[in-house]
Amino acid sequence: MFFNLLELAGGSSSLAFLIEKMFYPGFQEDLKYLKIIRKIQSFVAPRLAKGNLLADIFEEKVKEKPDKTFIICNNKLYSYSFVDQQANRVARAAMEIGLKQDNVVAIMVYNEPAFLWLYLGLMKLGIRTALINFNLRSRSLAHCIQVSEANTLLVGEGDDLINAVTEILHELHGIDVYHLGNSTDWTHQVTSNFKSFHSLMESSSPAPVDRSVRNKVGPLNTCVYIYTSGTTGLPKPVIISHARVVGSGFSGQAYDMAEDDIIYICLPMYHSAALLLGIGNTITAGAAMVIRDKFSASHFWEDCRRHKVTLIQYIGEICRYLVARPKETLDGHHNIRVAFGNGLRPDIWTEFQTRFKIPRLLEFYGSTEGPIGFCNYSNIVGSCGRSSPFLRRMAQEVEFVKYDHHAQTAERDARGRCIPVEIGEVGLLIVPLIPGKTAFDGYKGKKESTEKKILRNVFQDGDIYFDTGDLMRVDNNYYLYFNDRVGDTFRWKGENVSTTEVSNVIAELDFIHDANVYGVTIPGCEGRAGMVAIHLKNPDLNRLTPSMLMALSKHCNSALPVYARPRFIRVQKELVLTATFKQQKVELIREGFDVTKIKDPLYYLNPTTNAYFPFDKTVYYQIISGNVPM
């Protein structure tokens, strides 16, 4: 019945209005949503049926318009044919060193054109690519390379990258390490530890690589590993199939992305947003992309105007930085027609859209490993999509259940079943895993990591659900709102921070007995800033000495990426544990860094010196008023 009504309503606005009144508010919005989903599916399904990979689609675009600009970076233009030739060189160089289908190659490269031809060139051979976060250092970096089971590591140009890898070379047993830079510019240290991939590419032919070398690679095979932080304490490689890459690459059809579009990419390309949505959609549309090495609020609009950008990607923090800049007469002067992204908070939503004159804003929800996504096509401030009974039946089968914050898992009733929440109540988003319909490919490595994301016997014996780890709320009009992340991960500076990983790093200091890391909110900042409650080994001490603060600052700066370094420290005589001896975070998160209420000694990370200092009321009020950047 629902399907027949849908077909009828699609051709009659009066009938759609009647159905909306009969069933629930927003029914016409659901029809628009379903129409968009069907449009995307009409592009994706034929491609997957033919076994196409993104590399196949890219090669088609090269044949159609070889001289069309594909990449704009540092005011240089790179055509589709040039990038294809470089990708062919990559593929042939990889074959020369013995790499073949289903091998894993880790790449650690900045946002630059070389990232694209490495990604596409390795895909031409059906090689799996592990994308290493170039901010990682020390143990985290070694772990990410090792867990991927890569037999080759390609390191991009840049002294910081070289130094970071050099420090862990002794841990990379059995892994061949190559550098992408021109060998004539290498120092002796580099030439003695790294082989030259640049030289191999130079001597390789740019001629097309025969499709037969990847004939056995299909849509369900693994394409790439994208890392995300989770409860295991260290970044985990999410398995991304070729089908997922192709499907994500056509999501731009939701806003009619076409070959004359130019997208601005300043998010890191090792993340799913830039890789799967930004790069993927550019390729499938045959469009162009402007690449910047990293986000710059002062150059953002200047870049967009100079290159006539029509599409921009964002995370909430980017929008907040842009809004915080002084107003200029050129605000709103650009060619942008759509901004899409996630994490845009309601307090700046309207100002961002109106001040910068963004015609269409698409806020979405999704995760790297999650089998579901939502998008707000209606510009409802603060919403990331819709989840009506009709949509759950016709397109997106999801549930929202009660969450036990103390047990850090879905709450169960006396029968052991999960408990659905009411409309307007915050609940944990879970997704049924249905063969042929929704899939969770899991993480590479220990099976325990994958199993932790799965809920079994949720509503009946034998059913299986994916646990997103995200708390959501559906309002009376069935619009969906993101509430918070749960568990041992919080988001700061656009990155996921693992509390377990940071706790382990801090606990390495010989004067610290234990460390409990959690995220706290700061007025005017996106996400949650890291805070750690520590217990000192010396029972006679109840605060950190100057030498301890110096050691802590030095250790965090060397062992943790900038975004993972705790912004606040709290010294407790004893850490509070649950009945099952798990670190208690709920009360600590509630108290935050409020120096007016907390009696324990507090310290903060000075962003200018990257050192920790005692925290008092003066600094507290400066931070909450926005006068101290965090």
Side-chain angles (χ1 to χ4, degrees), residues 201-213:
M201 285 184 60
E202 278 195 323
S203 61
S204 297
S205 169
V209 175
D210 195 278
R211 175 68 176 79
S212 62
V213 300

Side-chain angles (χ1 to χ4, degrees), residues 379-410:
N379 199 36
I380 302 298
V381 174
S383 173
C384 57
R386 287 182 59 77
S387 186
S388 67
F390 182 74
L391 285 175
R392 292 191 205 179
R393 176 170 179 144
M394 296 294 295
Q396 296 177 312
E397 297 184 43
V398 300
E399 297 289 345
F400 302 90
V401 298
K402 291 187 177 182
Y403 182 78
D404 186 330
H405 286 272
H406 290 278
Q408 295 189 1
T409 188

